[in-house]
Amino acid sequence: MVYEKIQYSKEWKVLKELSKGQGLEELKQVQIDASLNRKINWFLYGGASGVISMIKEVYGDRALKEFYQFLDYFVSDPDTWGHYYHSDKINADTKTIADATQNLDFKEYLKGLKKELIEQDKQKGRD
């Protein structure tokens, strides 16, 4: 099979730049820790967004807003009764991601993610 245009992931683009002899300081932006990308990708495609979509479809927009409020409550006071409890793995991942993304503008990250999702849908031929 011949591809007319190859689409590289962000990680491969970084490796390509590094292979040309450019150091990280010469790249436009240091890439976000891949585990954050994987976790967000899982959230979008691995089930969580599907559940959110079902709540909206079955109960409507108002119920979805109520669910978001409950979710905010659930994570608002972690490791206390009635709230989210961190596992050792989540604690370690949180520290790693926080260290790797200290200067990340999360709003800009989400804008970029939105563009990537649109491009992926176009490539898949979705209307």
Side-chain angles (χ1 to χ4, degrees), residues 50-117:
V51 172
I52 289 171
S53 179
M54 280 191 257
I55 291 169
K56 181 177 180 171
E57 293 296 319
V58 173
Y59 297 106
D61 289 335
R62 186 174 183 189
L64 183 59
K65 289 179 185 176
E66 291 170 355
F67 179 74
Y68 287 147
Q69 289 173 343
F70 176 80
L71 188 57
D72 186 48
Y73 156 80
F74 186 67
V75 299
S76 67
D77 195 11
D79 301 322
T80 63
W81 287 358
H83 294 276
Y84 177 76
Y85 274 83
H86 290 107
S87 68
D88 291 341
K89 178 164 179 17
I90 289 294
N91 283 335
D93 288 353
T94 299
K95 180 171 179 7
T96 300
I97 290 169
D99 290 345
T101 61
Q102 287 180 357
N103 296 321
L104 173 69
D105 180 340
F106 197 69
K107 186 174 182 176
E108 289 299 314
Y109 171 76
L110 293 176
K111 283 182 187 178
L113 178 59
K114 183 177 179 181
K115 288 178 185 177
E116 286 180 31
L117 293 172

